[in-house]
Amino acid sequence: MLFGNRVRPAGQRLTRAAIFGLALSLSSTAVLAYADLLPAGLDLGLFDDEPAPAPGSLPRVARRIATGEPLRIVAFGSSSTEGIGASTRSASYPARLEALLRRALPQLAGDILVDNRGIGGEAVDEMLARLDRDVITPAPDLVIWQTGSNDPLRGISLAHFREATEAAVARIRAAGIDVVLMEPQWCPTLDATPGAYRFRDAVRDIGAELGVPVIRRSDLMRGWIAQSRLTRSELFAKDGLHMADGGYALLAEAAAAEVVRGADAVVEVAEAGPTVVE
């Protein structure tokens, strides 16, 4: 069982200790990702310059959780969302995220759906072409938008990428849908592509400017290797671009922590334990 038996009173926000317990429940990786949320006096010395996701930044998700209504999430993006490199579709990060959130938020009685709308190889314009169909019209409570990986490989202008992404985020929010952005991965292929990480930085800048949480996947992946959470063969697929099962599992944990934090959610907290997705 991922989380334990103690439920905080309805409407009570997560304390620092509760966030710490949640991070431990997910994995030690989540502790690394949210080091600045740990109790005073506990210093891991990791990612000190990484900003914490803003609590309360996902108001629609928070309302769903508070009222016990169904929670609908669209995982929108390219191959990292589709799950290219994973051994099965159930090993993709959206499938794992759904399982993790169902266990983290039992007050929703399992009524949580993460709809995988990832299509491999797409850059920003192709994703925007299906924004209405896959995000606006379904009217989910939250979209997690993974973007910026294919654009440098396709020679897309950085200025165009920024302008198009900002406009799309504005449209999504105008429709009453919460937004989390996911930056490009760290990988050998992007390492070898001049200017690739300017797109990562652009996603971070957009998030900061618009008040949208950003899953800093590049930093997380480097941290997983640095802290021996995964070997390179467990993190990367053989093509040097996509993630493998191990990477997708930890990415789902980071996404789950982002959703819970952004919604100021009430969760069950217990002792640390391994994360297993059936």
Side-chain angles (χ1 to χ4, degrees):
M1 183 174 182
L2 179 61
F3 294 87
N5 298 321
R6 182 167 60 85
V7 182
R8 294 183 175 271
Q12 180 177 337
R13 292 183 176 183
L14 282 171
T15 64
R16 290 166 66 87
I19 295 169
F20 181 49
L22 169 63
L24 288 176
S25 298
L26 289 172
S27 75
S28 58
T29 302
V31 176
L32 300 179
Y34 299 99
D36 51 339
L37 303 180
L38 301 181
L42 181 57
D43 181 12
L44 296 180
L46 298 165
F47 303 128
D48 291 335
D49 60 346
E50 181 175 337
S57 55
L58 304 176
R60 180 162 170 165
V61 174
R63 288 194 299 271
R64 292 293 190 182
I65 294 172
T67 59
E69 296 180 82
L71 178 63
R72 299 293 180 258
I73 299 171
V74 164
F76 188 56
S78 55
S79 55
S80 293
T81 300
E82 182 179 350
I84 303 300
S87 59
T88 65
R89 190 169 179 84
S90 64
S92 66
Y93 106 77
R96 291 177 179 272
L97 173 61
E98 181 178 287
L100 286 170
L101 289 177
R102 286 182 176 182
R103 294 157 70 184
L105 301 168
Q107 60 267 50
L108 299 188
D111 202 353
I112 299 172
L113 173 66
V114 180
D115 185 8
N116 188 336
R117 295 298 180 99
I119 298 179
E122 289 195 339
V124 66
D125 287 339
E126 291 153 316
M127 284 189 268
L128 263 58
R130 59 187 180 92
L131 185 70
D132 284 326
R133 182 193 72 195
D134 288 350
V135 177
I136 304 296
T137 298
D141 305 298
L142 168 67
V143 58
I144 301 176
W145 185 8
Q146 167 259 317
T147 189
S149 296
N150 292 307
D151 302 83
L153 300 175
R154 301 264 297 274
I156 304 298
S157 158
L158 181 64
H160 175 70
F161 172 81
R162 287 191 59 131
E163 181 180 359
T165 302
E166 289 171 355
V169 168
R171 286 190 58 206
I172 294 168
R173 295 173 98 181
I177 302 167
D178 291 341
V179 182
V180 169
L181 293 172
M182 181 186 293
E183 70 184 22
Q185 68 269 43
W186 164 57
C187 67
T189 299
L190 292 182
D191 279 347
T193 303
Y197 292 114
R198 293 187 300 160
F199 290 81
R200 173 203 63 194
D201 296 340
V203 173
R204 295 180 180 182
D205 290 345
I206 291 167
E209 292 166 7
L210 300 182
V212 171
V214 176
I215 298 172
R216 293 195 166 201
R217 182 164 51 143
S218 183
D219 284 354
L220 288 169
M221 293 174 72
R222 292 174 188 272
W224 299 334
I225 294 294
Q227 297 301 313
S228 300
R229 293 290 296 152
L230 294 173
T231 65
R232 292 180 71 93
S233 62
E234 291 169 333
L235 176 58
F236 296 114
K238 292 181 180 180
D239 61 11
L241 174 61
H242 299 101
M243 301 174 78
D245 284 0
Y248 284 126
L250 294 186
L251 181 60
E253 292 182 358
E258 191 77 57
V259 171
V260 168
R261 168 67 174 171
D264 253 356
V266 177
V267 301
E268 290 190 347
V269 179
E271 295 179 359
T275 299
V276 178
V277 177
E278 300 293 343

